[in-house]
Amino acid sequence: MNLGRLLPFFVLPAFAVGTAGAVGITYNGAGADLNVATFDSSGDVIQGVTILTVQGTDPYLVAPGDSVQVSLTGLQYPYAGDLQVNLSLEDSLGNVLMSGDAFNQIGAFNPGDPGYDTQFGNSSSIPSGNYVFDSSFTSDLWNTAAALGSSDSIPNGNYWPTTALSDTNDNLSAFFAGLPVNDKWVLTIYDDYPPFNGGIEEFVPSLTAWSVTVQAETVAAEPSTAMPVVLCGGLLWVIRRRRTA
């Protein structure tokens, strides 16, 4: 008996999940003149809000650890303690998946404190305020600004991110771990007090450009060597024929 003719089988490819890899991705966003705070007719402050977005396009996930970095290029503002810069990630329906501060009214240790009156950008020595925020960096933005006066500018550089009422590293870069890279990245700049001290005349409160750099995690299905998979029904039929032969 030719069992080869009685034993139907299929050769099916077996797949194995590839090991996770990491790739660095940068999304560049356009800047804008900032919407500065104003006073209403009663003398109450109307907060200025500037929203800038960039769409992620890569079908990966944010890797664990300090995997998100925010860069601000050409930030110009005369009173650093007025500003809050927030990064968030939104899905296609506009739902906020995660949000955290790059900085938030530096120098304001208590609610209502004015914060530091030094400048972002716009000085003869630092004509353009270029600042990068990553939780792995070791420079303290608050400590740097504390030593400066109102006519000084915060040096260009790499700083750890902070949130309201504290100079402690807020771990912004680790907040987004496991979330999709290809959602909408949103930079929101809040101005909590009108920029006085002649600043509005000397400055054009603005941001030239910004970017978010993500360390992404990739997992791919990799085909392994094809293996024969025997059809169980055919095998049982062969065994039955052999017993009755």
Side-chain angles (χ1 to χ4, degrees):
M1 180 186 303
N2 187 347
L3 294 179
R5 298 183 61 185
L6 300 176
L7 183 61
F9 68 91
F10 299 94
V11 175
L12 299 178
F15 288 88
V17 177
T19 56
V23 59
I25 304 166
T26 297
Y27 299 118
N28 296 303
D33 289 349
L34 302 186
N35 296 316
V36 298
T38 58
F39 291 112
D40 64 16
S41 58
S42 301
D44 295 323
V45 174
I46 301 174
Q47 186 184 55
V49 181
T50 306
I51 299 175
L52 305 170
T53 66
V54 64
Q55 180 64 48
T57 56
D58 297 274
Y60 306 136
L61 300 178
V62 179
D66 295 327
S67 297
V68 174
Q69 183 179 103
V70 182
S71 298
L72 308 178
T73 301
L75 177 61
Q76 307 284 322
Y77 193 84
Y79 199 105
D82 287 351
L83 293 188
Q84 174 190 357
V85 174
N86 178 274
L87 179 71
S88 58
L89 183 64
E90 296 182 1
D91 66 16
S92 59
L93 300 177
N95 299 309
V96 177
L97 304 178
M98 184 53 66
S99 180
D101 290 331
F103 62 87
N104 188 338
Q105 293 186 288
I106 61 174
F109 288 93
N110 299 288
D113 284 354
Y116 297 136
D117 63 354
T118 187
Q119 306 172 157
F120 285 112
N122 201 59
S123 75
S124 58
S125 60
I126 308 172
S128 185
N130 302 324
Y131 309 101
V132 184
F133 298 90
D134 190 304
S135 299
S136 67
F137 292 156
T138 58
S139 293
D140 183 345
L141 179 67
W142 286 50
N143 185 60
T144 301
L148 303 174
S150 60
S151 61
D152 299 320
S153 293
I154 297 173
N156 294 335
N158 301 333
Y159 298 94
W160 71 61
T162 56
T163 190
L165 310 181
S166 175
D167 64 350
T168 303
N169 190 331
D170 70 4
N171 294 316
L172 169 70
S173 299
F175 286 176
F176 300 89
L179 295 178
V181 172
N182 61 344
D183 277 321
K184 182 187 292 184
W185 296 91
V186 182
L187 189 78
T188 305
I189 303 174
Y190 300 94
D191 179 13
D192 286 319
Y193 203 81
F196 285 156
N197 275 344
I200 199 67
E201 287 134 22
E202 297 171 16
F203 282 67
V204 176
S206 59
L207 181 69
T208 302
W210 72 285
S211 66
V212 56
T213 297
V214 181
Q215 293 301 313
E217 195 172 47
T218 64
V219 179
E222 300 174 352
S224 63
T225 304
M227 298 178 62
V229 179
V230 178
L231 185 64
C232 294
L235 178 60
L236 293 175
W237 184 80
V238 170
I239 294 173
R240 187 177 300 114
R241 283 293 302 271
R242 291 186 66 184
R243 287 179 176 173
T244 56

